[in-house]
Amino acid sequence: NAGVTQTPKFRVLKTGQSMTLLCAQDMNHEYMYWYRQDPGMGLRLIHYSVGEGTTAKGEVPDGYNVSRLKKQNFLLGLESAAPSQTSVYFCASSQTSSEQFFGPGTRLTVL
Amino acid sequence: AQSVTQLDSQVPVFEEAPVELRCNYSSSVSVYLFWYVQYPNQGLQLLLKYLSGSTLVKGINGFEAEFNKSQTSFHLRKPSVHISDTAEYFCAVSDRSSSASKIIFGSGTRLSIRP
């Protein structure tokens, strides 16, 4: 049981480049989330999904897109990366509102 | 809407001393409350959670927290800390009635343990 996994672990982009972060969970959870973590700001919700084929905006959605084509996967895309998107990105999943399970994170640097 | 305030961004303590990390929340609806821990270069791990029942909640690694509804607080405590407790701690809240299970996190408290 791997739990929540994220690919890649590290990435460096140049301004304007695009990339996709992959999150996978093997717990059959309905809900999945993407957060970004910046120093002194805790975790902020980017987008989330309440089930396969659904997505919704969180607190800081601008500059990101997501897709949930399969229940176990939640993709986060950056179409045109900006230095302000340098951050650590965490994916999480849950089945109820009582707990979320987090992945190990992806450290993204945009030059 | 909910919000979470962690009053201390950093808390330095000596090994084997007691510690309290403070958390206050704001919400117009009933909530669940959580403390998560993040060890260096790792993801977040659930330390403990308050869902209902007893207001004193015990978690992993000897931590406990007390839900105080009148003061809208959920402070985290440990009677004797160890070097291995060095980490960042996040208080969080979610709306009980929300089907989306969204969690709002505080800005975090960095606990540093001195030998």
Side-chain angles (χ1 to χ4, degrees), chain A residues 7-59:
Chain A
T7 309
K9 289 185 168 48
F10 304 92
R11 186 72 186 269
V12 178
L13 291 178
K14 295 181 180 178
T15 297
Q17 287 185 317
S18 63
M19 77 162 294
T20 300
L21 306 184
L22 170 63
C23 176
Q25 53 98 1
D26 61 4
M27 297 173 282
N28 202 34
H29 285 168
E30 287 295 327
Y31 309 130
M32 296 187 74
Y33 314 83
W34 275 107
Y35 295 90
R36 59 178 290 173
Q37 183 181 26
D38 302 292
M41 302 187 75
L43 275 76
R44 292 180 293 168
L45 184 64
I46 304 171
H47 286 281
Y48 64 99
S49 168
V50 299
E52 183 179 318
T54 74
T55 63
K57 294 181 179 179
E59 182 185 355

Side-chain angles (χ1 to χ4, degrees), chain B residues 52-113:
Chain B
S52 64
S54 172
T55 57
L56 184 62
V57 181
K58 294 189 183 298
I60 61 172
N61 301 336
F63 284 92
E64 63 181 33
E66 186 156 18
F67 169 53
N68 187 319
K69 189 174 182 180
S70 63
Q71 297 186 4
T72 60
S73 67
F74 192 54
H75 301 332
L76 181 70
R77 302 184 182 98
K78 186 170 183 178
S80 176
V81 296
H82 302 283
I83 291 287
S84 59
D85 293 323
T86 297
E88 190 154 22
Y89 293 79
F90 293 94
C91 182
V93 62
S94 72
D95 178 354
R96 283 175 177 263
S97 63
S98 171
S99 61
S101 303
K102 290 189 289 181
I103 291 181
I104 305 299
F105 287 87
S107 54
T109 298
R110 192 171 298 276
L111 179 62
S112 59
I113 311 298

Side-chain angles (χ1 to χ4, degrees), chain A:
Chain A
N1 220 3
V4 180
T5 58
Q6 293 183 231
T7 309
K9 289 185 168 48
F10 304 92
R11 186 72 186 269
V12 178
L13 291 178
K14 295 181 180 178
T15 297
Q17 287 185 317
S18 63
M19 77 162 294
T20 300
L21 306 184
L22 170 63
C23 176
Q25 53 98 1
D26 61 4
M27 297 173 282
N28 202 34
H29 285 168
E30 287 295 327
Y31 309 130
M32 296 187 74
Y33 314 83
W34 275 107
Y35 295 90
R36 59 178 290 173
Q37 183 181 26
D38 302 292
M41 302 187 75
L43 275 76
R44 292 180 293 168
L45 184 64
I46 304 171
H47 286 281
Y48 64 99
S49 168
V50 299
E52 183 179 318
T54 74
T55 63
K57 294 181 179 179
E59 182 185 355
V60 288
D62 294 342
Y64 305 95
N65 57 75
V66 288
S67 65
R68 184 118 181 254
L69 299 180
K70 294 182 179 180
K71 186 177 185 179
Q72 63 268 34
N73 296 336
F74 195 30
L75 305 179
L76 177 71
L78 286 73
E79 290 185 350
S80 179
S84 60
Q85 294 177 305
T86 293
S87 188
V88 181
Y89 291 86
F90 287 100
C91 176
S93 72
S94 72
Q95 188 58 28
T96 68
S97 52
S98 65
E99 183 176 355
Q100 289 185 11
F101 295 83
F102 284 81
T106 295
R107 189 172 296 273
L108 175 65
T109 301
V110 182
L111 303 176

